[in-house]
Amino acid sequence: MKRNPVTSARRRAAHAGTSRPTIKDIAERCGVHPSTVSRALSPAMKHLVADDVARRIHAAANALGYRLNTAAQGLRTGRSGLIGVLAPDIADPGFPPILSGIAEQLNASGYATIVVDIGTDGSQQEFVDRLIARGVDGLVLGTVGLRDAIVKHCLDAALPVVLVNRVDAGARLPSAASDDETGMRLAVEHLVGLGHRRIAHIAGPSSVSTGAQRRAGFEAAAKDAGLPSPGIMIETAETYTREAGRRAALQLLDRKTRPTAIVAANDLLALGVYDALAARGLECPRDISVVGHNDMPFVDMVAPPLTTVRIAQREMGEAAAKLLLARIADPAAKRAHIVLPPSLIVRGSTAPPR
């Protein structure tokens, strides 16, 4: 059916002067049904529209200055398009790559992320409740302990939730994490291969899966390597911080029998070992070899460059986001647990013992 050009011009002029452009305006300009425009502008549904038509619709939307009304869309769909992410410490260089993977995957599906740094004194439950009150469609938690009351709280809220770089003891929530025990085994086998027999471990907090599983991996690998019991030394850091690593390392260095190598449960702890060695007038790796865990940004630039266990941080974030999207699509779906393989990155902080 032919359009009356005078009528169309009047409509465009009226809209330009009185209101912001709508989906109907875009549909009229492109000669398609409004529902086609709605699908083309929705990241979750744009695959249902032919590419050339979608490009034409997006071009028209940009030309008209159209902006999606997310509040109105939420009323229609019952979803806010928002996902909450709880970070253990946003200042930790290891978490941003994970967050980047989460955000990119969610953005591709039309979701925006709200990132909350709970810090050292924050209440997980308080932040979770705030996010739920804001209508988030799901949560990604990088803060959960092994036996954490927040897990039941989230389950009771009946909200899609997944864990990233964490697992809970009961495996009640879907998760994406690294194979922490294998990571520690790679570190121990590397040091044993260099000839070390007195190997110490600075463990992370035992209340979180990374601390508990990496310690278990260290102990199992040391036993399998046949290391003598007096040669296996462990100190637990109360937090994953450089200062906590320094304190734990000083305890190891002050023992009657000093280790020739130290495996830290993460890279910040390993940097704390560097500080402790400097305080005692020791050098790495001449006096003591050091291995970290995570391969966070810039550890290849310290002196000496840190040998460490690399975990697939970005891929872990992407996997967690995919798990959450699947959970949103089908809340009754089976709980999946993705375990990503680590790899050992050998640099200048490890050498044969003197």
Side-chain angles (χ1 to χ4, degrees), residues 262-278:
I262 297 176
V263 181
N266 86 346
D267 293 333
L268 287 176
L269 295 176
L271 294 182
V273 176
Y274 279 22
D275 295 336
L277 293 176

Side-chain angles (χ1 to χ4, degrees), residues 22-254:
T22 67
I23 283 179
K24 289 184 179 179
D25 297 327
I26 300 171
E28 183 176 309
R29 173 173 284 207
C30 295
V32 298
H33 194 275
S35 63
T36 303
V37 175
S38 181
R39 285 192 291 270
L41 296 179
S42 167
M45 301 181 69
K46 63 183 179 182
H47 65 282
L48 300 174
V49 181
D51 289 343
D52 61 327
V53 176
R55 284 193 295 269
R56 191 151 47 90
I57 289 171
H58 278 274
N62 289 333
L64 290 170
Y66 175 80
R67 296 292 180 270
L68 181 65
N69 187 332
T70 55
Q73 185 185 50
L75 290 174
R76 290 194 304 272
T77 64
R79 293 179 179 174
S80 66
L82 299 174
I83 300 296
V85 180
L86 261 62
D89 182 2
I90 203 66
D92 182 342
F95 196 78
I98 295 175
L99 179 58
S100 180
I102 294 171
E104 183 174 319
Q105 196 68 42
L106 292 176
N107 181 62
S109 296
Y111 288 93
T113 55
I114 302 175
V115 182
V116 177
D117 180 3
I118 69 165
T120 56
D121 301 320
S123 165
Q124 281 194 89
Q125 181 167 327
E126 180 182 350
F127 285 129
V128 164
D129 287 342
R130 286 183 185 179
L131 290 168
I132 292 174
R134 282 164 173 74
V136 294
D137 295 325
L139 294 171
V140 181
L141 306 182
T143 52
V144 170
L146 274 171
R147 295 168 180 81
D148 204 317
I150 196 65
V151 172
K152 183 177 186 302
H153 187 71
C154 289
L155 290 170
D156 290 344
L159 185 73
V161 180
V162 302
L163 307 182
V164 66
N165 200 33
R166 294 285 189 273
V167 297
D168 65 289
R172 291 175 291 173
L173 292 174
S175 62
S178 182
D179 188 339
D180 289 321
E181 293 191 21
T182 294
M184 278 292 117
R185 182 172 294 278
L186 291 173
V188 171
E189 289 176 350
H190 167 64
L191 292 170
V192 170
L194 290 174
H196 290 276
R197 302 294 290 172
R198 299 198 308 274
I199 303 175
H201 176 49
I202 297 180
S206 59
S207 59
V208 297
S209 60
T210 52
Q213 291 183 352
R214 290 173 190 178
R215 175 172 180 153
F218 173 84
E219 291 175 334
K223 180 180 179 181
D224 291 345
L227 297 183
S229 296
I232 302 173
M233 295 162 264
I234 298 177
E235 289 286 342
T236 301
E238 65 274 18
T239 58
Y240 278 124
T241 62
R242 183 168 179 168
E243 176 57 26
R246 186 188 71 85
R247 290 195 297 267
L250 288 174
Q251 293 292 323
L252 291 171
L253 297 177
D254 289 343

